């Protein structure tokens, strides 16, 4: 990403997503802010970030927004249109070669966002089977832990993030 693209991305508005904690208190925050661009549809944004914590969402999904009871706007309400991307997250160990991870996934056409040991991976539909198999195989080998954020194979089964 060149400087102009970075500035353009940095200036995008953010959509707030209310996170739901599990019984261990994870994720570590209440809200996730995702960069998004307005679409030509009222109150619909296209996600330009990979969800690191929010479940049921993927890069480039178009989402309907509303105002939260707390007064936040724009706040995620529902998915208007799926992008065809999946979201998987990796929990990598100390000493893991982040450059090797980046190289592998970007060579497959994926996008990545790192947050310390957590890596959010946006996987295009056309490489989903190959990349998800690789992630699961490496998890089985003990290289990292992994979880699904949203999988294209789930399309049509849910319309809101949890």
């Amino acid at each position: 990403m060149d400087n102009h693209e970075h500035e353009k991305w940095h200036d995008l508005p953010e959509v707030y997503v209310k996170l739901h904690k599990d019984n261990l208190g994870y994720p570590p925050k209440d809200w996730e802010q995702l960069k998004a661009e307005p679409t030509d549809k009222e109150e619909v944004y296209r996600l330009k970030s990979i969800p690191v914590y929010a479940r049921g969402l993927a890069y480039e999904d178009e989402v309907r927004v509303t105002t939260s009871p707390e007064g936040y706007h724009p706040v995620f309400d529902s998915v208007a249109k799926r992008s065809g991307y999946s979201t998987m997250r990796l929990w990598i160990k100390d000493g893991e070669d982040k450059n090797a991870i980046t190289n592998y996934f970007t060579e497959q056409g994926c996008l990545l966002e790192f947050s310390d040991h957590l890596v959010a991976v946006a996987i295009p539909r056309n490489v989903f089977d190959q990349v998800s198999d690789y992630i699961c195989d490496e998890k089985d080998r003990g290289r990292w832990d992994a979880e699904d954020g949203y999988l294209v194979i789930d399309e049509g089964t849910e319309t809101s993030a949890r």
Side-chain angles (χ1 to χ4, degrees), residues 1-12:
M1 183 182 305
D2 67 22
N3 282 342
H4 177 70
E5 288 173 327
H6 187 270
E7 286 176 21
K8 184 178 170 185
W9 184 86
H10 191 287
D11 290 340
L12 287 173

Side-chain angles (χ1 to χ4, degrees), residues 2 12-13 25 32-33 37 40 48 50 57 61 63 76 79 82-83 97 110 112 126-127 132 134 138 147 150:
D2 67 22
L12 287 173
E32 182 170 7
Q33 296 164 251
E37 63 186 7
D40 58 355
K48 301 306 283 183
I50 305 165
L57 295 172
D61 280 354
V63 298
F76 169 79
V79 175
R82 291 290 182 187
S83 64
D97 185 346
C110 300
L112 300 152
N126 65 322
V127 295
S132 62
Y134 173 77
E138 292 300 302
E147 73 170 11
Y150 174 77

Side-chain angles (χ1 to χ4, degrees), residues 29-107:
K29 52 189 187 173
D30 295 325
W31 294 89
E32 182 170 7
Q33 296 164 251
L34 300 173
K35 291 288 189 180
E37 63 186 7
T39 67
D40 58 355
K41 298 172 211 115
E42 187 175 339
E43 298 294 310
V44 176
Y45 287 76
R46 182 175 301 106
L47 298 180
K48 301 306 283 183
S49 294
I50 305 165
V52 175
Y53 297 107
R55 299 186 58 79
L57 295 172
Y59 177 75
E60 292 274 311
D61 280 354
E62 291 183 12
V63 298
R64 286 181 203 86
V65 298
T66 189
T67 300
S68 74
E70 300 90 347
Y72 296 122
H73 187 275
V75 172
F76 169 79
D77 180 59
S78 61
V79 175
K81 181 180 175 187
R82 291 290 182 187
S83 64
Y85 277 89
S86 292
T87 304
M88 292 184 82
R89 293 183 270 271
L90 312 177
W91 183 264
I92 60 174
K93 298 176 180 181
D94 285 331
E96 181 67 54
D97 185 346
K98 289 183 179 181
N99 287 329
I101 291 172
T102 300
N103 290 340
Y104 171 79
F105 287 106
T106 57
E107 285 171 4

Side-chain angles (χ1 to χ4, degrees), residues 7-26:
E7 286 176 21
K8 184 178 170 185
W9 184 86
H10 191 287
D11 290 340
L12 287 173
E14 294 176 328
V15 170
Y16 295 87
V17 180
K18 180 73 172 163
L19 301 175
H20 302 281
K21 295 181 182 282
D22 64 17
N23 57 358
L24 300 175
Y26 186 85

